């Protein structure tokens, strides 16, 4: 059966999705251009036509994943409900115990970014934009009188640091932390940061 002819943009997106899957399965260090090509049944040359090197492909794949994560976050935070409900939904979804996937991918990315300037810029930009989105909704909640937070930017930093740290524990060390316990800690931290009673529903 003949393959459907894809546009350049569609082909690039297909290659990026395949690269993400291969990185999650094999790790950045082990993944090869040939792995991505084989997963799609295309030639190495086709992959290299769109991405001139493995490094360029990896950086583009992480950028693609980052934009997807941020789009989902913006959708959650853009709902027509209270700032507190939006914030709780976002934190619960993106906690390593939530529905969001891809923590293994980002842990791989952080490790490689220590030595790869291009990937370091991608992960830094994602981190900066994540914190900015959370800071904005926290500030909205303060302005609306929903909760008290003297420094929304610092709160966003502490919350994301907790999520990142728990992700490493849950992803890298099976059984180190019970998932229900990690979720409790995330909920408690959010309530503490906003001066809320953790026993009361959002």
């Amino acid at each position: 059966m003949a393959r459907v002819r894809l546009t350049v943009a569609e082909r690039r997106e297909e290659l990026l999705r395949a690269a993400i899957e291969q990185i999650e399965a094999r790790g950045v260090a082990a993944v090869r251009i040939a792995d991505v090509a084989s997963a799609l049944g295309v030639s190495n040359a086709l992959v290299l036509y769109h991405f001139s090197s493995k490094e360029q492909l990896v950086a583009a794949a992480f950028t693609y994943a980052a934009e997807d994560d941020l789009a989902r976050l913006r959708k959650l935070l853009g709902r027509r409900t209270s700032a507190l409900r939006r914030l709780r939904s976002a934190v619960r979804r993106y906690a390593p115990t939530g529905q969001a996937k891809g923590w293994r991918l980002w842990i791989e990315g952080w490790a490689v970014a220590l030595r790869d300037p291009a990937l370091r810029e991608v992960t830094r930009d994602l981190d900066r934009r994540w914190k900015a989105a959370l800071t904005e909704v926290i500030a909205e909640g303060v302005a609306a009188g929903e909760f008290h937070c003297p420094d929304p930017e610092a709160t966003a930093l502490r919350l994301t640091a907790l999520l990142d740290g728990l992700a490493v524990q849950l992803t890298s060390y099976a059984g180190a932390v019970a998932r229900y316990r990690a979720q409790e800690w995330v909920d408690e931290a959010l309530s503490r940061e906003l001066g809320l009673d953790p026993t009361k529903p959002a």
Side-chain angles (χ1 to χ4, degrees), residues 62-100:
F62 274 93
T63 299
Y64 180 83
E67 292 297 339
D68 186 59
D69 279 350
L70 285 164
R72 293 173 188 275
L73 178 65
R74 284 191 292 268
K75 184 175 180 180
L76 273 177
L77 296 181
R79 291 176 176 170
R80 297 177 65 85
T81 185
S82 71
L84 180 57
R85 286 186 182 277
R86 285 180 283 147
L87 189 58
R88 282 197 196 278
S89 293
V91 170
R92 285 174 178 166
R93 178 180 175 83
Y94 285 96
T97 57
Q99 296 173 304

Side-chain angles (χ1 to χ4, degrees), residues 109-166:
W110 295 332
V112 176
L114 293 172
R115 298 174 301 280
D116 184 331
L119 191 51
R120 182 162 59 246
E121 188 53 40
V122 170
T123 56
R124 178 185 293 146
D125 183 58
L126 173 65
D127 185 66
R128 183 168 50 240
R129 290 161 70 186
W130 249 92
K131 288 181 175 67
L134 292 182
T135 298
E136 183 178 346
V137 75
I138 292 168
E140 286 179 21
V142 171
E146 294 180 36
F147 45 74
H148 176 70
C149 179
D151 191 342
E153 187 173 357
T155 287
L157 191 154
R158 287 190 291 269
L159 287 173
T160 54
L162 175 62
L163 295 178
D164 292 347
L166 287 173

Side-chain angles (χ1 to χ4, degrees), residues 53 81 188:
S53 66
T81 185
E188 288 168 3

